[in-house]
């Protein structure tokens, strides 16, 4: 299935990360398949297993369509790979996994270590994905971005609708489309969390005062500073699904590795 997706980046500039960190779409079941809606970012957490945020794959696709990832083939053309058995974390975290017919190239691994404040991290995803209509077909242009920063703190973020979340706050902007991207410790392939949103922190620049001529109050001026938010390592590693036999995903992947090593 070939997706009508364009990219402004040349083949020579691309590296292996875009074979493991991938854009998620809803696409038609037609041949060739046509992307209908961009949903976010996901990454291969193991062979044939994609992890993302649950809110990226939560809504039901329209009739005759499915969730897919778009991946660039050797000819530089994007093809759709269908996501199957999409499942959300049984613990209620904003995480989901799905099966996909792909093999890891980057070989990201879930971190088992404590990650202190100030640790340098990077992420990659597909914010600012452009879309337009052309001859009755919806077209998309991917704008993949690599972002680098550090952990500013770990804390409990009070989500407006989903309650408290153990989270990392990051010195990385998180525009729409980056949700579901991995947060990777710089210089390693260790994933310490999954991007899910941003934390807008406001500071008062000037208090309200009365206009001397009209007597009306002039409102406060507020400056917003935005930080990236990612689920904490413990939340990610303890996420469990029917696909993992309800085992924490970190434990499940270790079990798969043991079975693989025995076969070898």
């Amino acid at each position: 299935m070939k997706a009508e997706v364009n990219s402004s980046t040349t083949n020579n500039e691309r590296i292996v990360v875009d074979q493991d960190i991938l854009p998620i779409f809803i696409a038609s079941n037609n041949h060739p398949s046509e992307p209908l809606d961009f949903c976010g970012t996901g990454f291969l957490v193991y062979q044939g297993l994609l992890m993302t945020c649950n809110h990226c794959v939560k809504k039901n696709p329209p009739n005759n369509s499915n969730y897919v990832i778009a991946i660039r083939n050797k000819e530089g053309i994007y093809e759709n790979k269908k996501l199957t058995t999409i499942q959300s974390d049984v613990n209620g975290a904003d995480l989901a996994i799905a099966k996909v017919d792909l093999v890891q190239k980057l070989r990201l691994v879930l971190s088992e270590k404590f990650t202190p404040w100030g640790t340098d991290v990077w992420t990659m995803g597909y914010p600012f994905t452009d879309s337009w209509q052309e001859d009755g077909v919806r077209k998309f242009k991917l704008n993949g971005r690599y972002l680098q920063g550090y952990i500013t703190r770990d804390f409990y973020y009070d989500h407006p609708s989903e309650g408290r979340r153990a989270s990392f706050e990051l010195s990385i902007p998180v525009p729409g489309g980056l949700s579901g991207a991995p947060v990777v410790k710089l210089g390693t392939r260790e994933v310490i969390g999954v991007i899910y949103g941003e934390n807008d922190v406001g500071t008062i620049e000037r208090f309200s005062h009365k206009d001397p001529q009209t007597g009306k109050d002039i409102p406060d001026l507020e400056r917003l500073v935005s930080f990236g938010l990612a689920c904490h390592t413990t939340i990610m590693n303890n996420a469990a699904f029917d696909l993992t036999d309800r085992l924490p995903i970190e434990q499940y992947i270790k079990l798969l590795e043991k079975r693989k090593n025995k076969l070898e």
Side-chain angles (χ1 to χ4, degrees), residues 63-115:
N63 290 336
N64 197 34
S65 66
N66 283 286
Y67 281 103
V68 302
I69 55 88
I71 186 167
R72 180 178 51 86
N73 64 22
K74 292 178 181 179
E75 288 73 39
I77 299 171
Y78 278 89
E79 296 181 347
N80 289 346
K81 293 282 187 179
K82 184 178 177 181
L83 298 181
T84 61
T85 323
I86 300 171
Q87 296 179 350
S88 58
D89 176 24
V90 298
N91 301 310
D94 185 14
L95 292 169
I97 61 171
K99 289 182 177 180
V100 64
D101 185 19
L102 287 173
V103 176
Q104 276 186 312
K105 303 278 178 51
L106 187 59
R107 293 188 176 274
L108 295 171
V109 296
L110 301 183
S111 179
E112 301 176 36
K113 302 172 185 175
F114 169 75
T115 307

Side-chain angles (χ1 to χ4, degrees), residues 1-262:
M1 296 185 295
K2 294 183 178 179
E4 295 293 330
V5 183
N6 296 321
S7 173
S8 59
T9 309
T10 65
N11 288 343
N12 291 335
E13 292 171 325
R14 289 200 172 270
I15 51 177
V16 72
V17 290
D18 76 348
Q19 296 291 296
D20 277 31
I21 303 174
L22 301 155
I24 300 172
F25 290 90
I26 291 175
S28 71
N29 292 332
N30 301 337
H31 297 281
S33 174
E34 296 175 357
L36 305 173
D37 191 15
F38 172 71
C39 304
T41 301
F43 64 99
L44 293 177
V45 69
Y46 195 69
Q47 315 299 352
L49 202 60
L50 183 107
M51 177 173 272
T52 185
C53 284
N54 188 50
H55 74 258
C56 295
V57 290
K58 191 174 183 178
K59 68 180 181 181
N60 293 322
N63 290 336
N64 197 34
S65 66
N66 283 286
Y67 281 103
V68 302
I69 55 88
I71 186 167
R72 180 178 51 86
N73 64 22
K74 292 178 181 179
E75 288 73 39
I77 299 171
Y78 278 89
E79 296 181 347
N80 289 346
K81 293 282 187 179
K82 184 178 177 181
L83 298 181
T84 61
T85 323
I86 300 171
Q87 296 179 350
S88 58
D89 176 24
V90 298
N91 301 310
D94 185 14
L95 292 169
I97 61 171
K99 289 182 177 180
V100 64
D101 185 19
L102 287 173
V103 176
Q104 276 186 312
K105 303 278 178 51
L106 187 59
R107 293 188 176 274
L108 295 171
V109 296
L110 301 183
S111 179
E112 301 176 36
K113 302 172 185 175
F114 169 75
T115 307
W117 298 6
T119 298
D120 291 325
V121 295
W122 66 269
T123 189
M124 188 235 172
Y126 299 88
F128 305 115
T129 294
D130 299 324
S131 67
W132 67 95
Q133 289 287 131
E134 185 177 305
D135 298 327
V137 177
R138 195 161 188 79
K139 304 275 188 172
F140 293 84
K141 179 182 177 183
L142 294 173
N143 296 299
R145 280 175 167 82
Y146 171 93
L147 300 165
Q148 189 173 312
Y150 55 88
I151 297 173
T152 60
R153 62 171 172 159
D154 58 340
F155 73 121
Y156 284 96
Y157 175 69
D158 291 313
H159 192 276
S161 61
E162 298 182 18
R164 303 190 84 200
R165 295 178 171 185
S167 303
F168 286 119
E169 187 181 76
L170 311 170
S171 68
I172 294 175
V174 180
L178 202 63
S179 286
V183 181
V184 186
K185 197 181 300 183
L186 194 65
T188 77
R189 295 181 182 180
E190 296 178 21
V191 180
I192 65 161
V194 181
I195 298 282
Y196 71 81
E198 60 184 355
N199 185 25
D200 294 329
V201 181
T203 58
I204 301 300
E205 295 291 306
R206 186 176 69 196
F207 292 99
S208 61
H209 63 282
K210 289 188 180 296
D211 185 301
Q213 295 182 341
T214 64
K216 292 182 178 180
D217 286 329
I218 297 175
D220 298 337
L221 295 179
E222 186 177 35
R223 182 185 297 276
L224 287 179
V225 180
S226 292
F227 296 93
L229 288 173
C231 73
H232 197 275
T233 311
T234 54
I235 301 298
M236 175 185 69
N237 286 349
N238 287 321
F241 311 86
D242 288 338
L243 267 174
T244 66
D245 299 326
R246 299 225 163 190
L247 292 172
I249 190 164
E250 180 194 18
Q251 185 179 339
Y252 178 73
I253 290 173
K254 284 181 179 178
L255 188 62
L256 292 179
E257 279 294 299
K258 285 182 180 178
R259 290 174 182 169
K260 178 184 171 185
N261 293 335
K262 283 183 179 179

